[in-house]
Amino acid sequence: MTKEQIIAGLKNAAKPYEEYYIEDDLIDAINQYPEPFELVDPILEIIATNPRVDFGMPGDLVHFVEQFYKHGYEELLIASVRNHPTPHNIWICLLYTSDAADDLIGV
């Protein structure tokens, strides 16, 4: 799948007031995409622009983007919260700040 097809599939899966569900073939495409960091910003945008979707706690999309923690993900997350604060992306940001605080105190 191309990047555009993956992003379109992720967007189409976002249904207000429903639990977010991704088909297995789309999950496989995300995991096999040759430049996975390119998907982080569009995924954060999907989360930010769909505040009425239940993305899970934390959910498949967050699990995917978390692999880029300390590799540029944080800046994209903060920008996402600044542009479109939603309960889910703020919660993700709080997880990040909690982990950063643990790093500072050596936990």
Side-chain angles (χ1 to χ4, degrees):
M1 265 186 207
T2 66
K3 177 182 175 181
E4 291 75 21
Q5 290 170 319
I6 291 170
I7 294 166
L10 294 173
K11 286 180 179 179
N12 289 336
K15 296 177 178 39
Y17 306 107
E18 292 185 23
E19 186 175 335
Y20 191 78
Y21 175 76
I22 308 171
E23 297 289 338
D24 289 341
D25 63 332
L26 189 53
I27 291 172
D28 291 342
I30 292 167
N31 291 326
Q32 295 170 5
Y33 190 72
E35 297 294 332
F37 188 76
E38 291 180 4
L39 301 173
V40 173
D41 196 37
I43 287 172
L44 291 172
E45 179 71 16
I46 291 167
I47 292 170
T49 56
N50 290 283
R52 294 184 176 98
V53 174
D54 177 3
F55 287 102
M57 290 296 191
D60 292 331
L61 295 183
V62 174
H63 283 300
F64 175 78
V65 297
E66 282 179 330
Q67 69 181 305
F68 302 102
Y69 178 61
K70 297 186 180 178
H71 297 285
Y73 156 66
E74 303 84 356
E75 291 82 9
L76 296 175
L77 175 60
I78 291 167
S80 174
V81 171
R82 283 186 179 141
N83 292 330
H84 301 284
T86 65
H88 201 75
N89 67 7
I90 291 169
W91 176 74
I92 298 166
C93 199
L94 290 174
L95 291 176
Y96 156 68
T97 56
S98 174
D99 189 51
D102 288 348
D103 287 348
L104 287 172
I105 61 173
V107 174

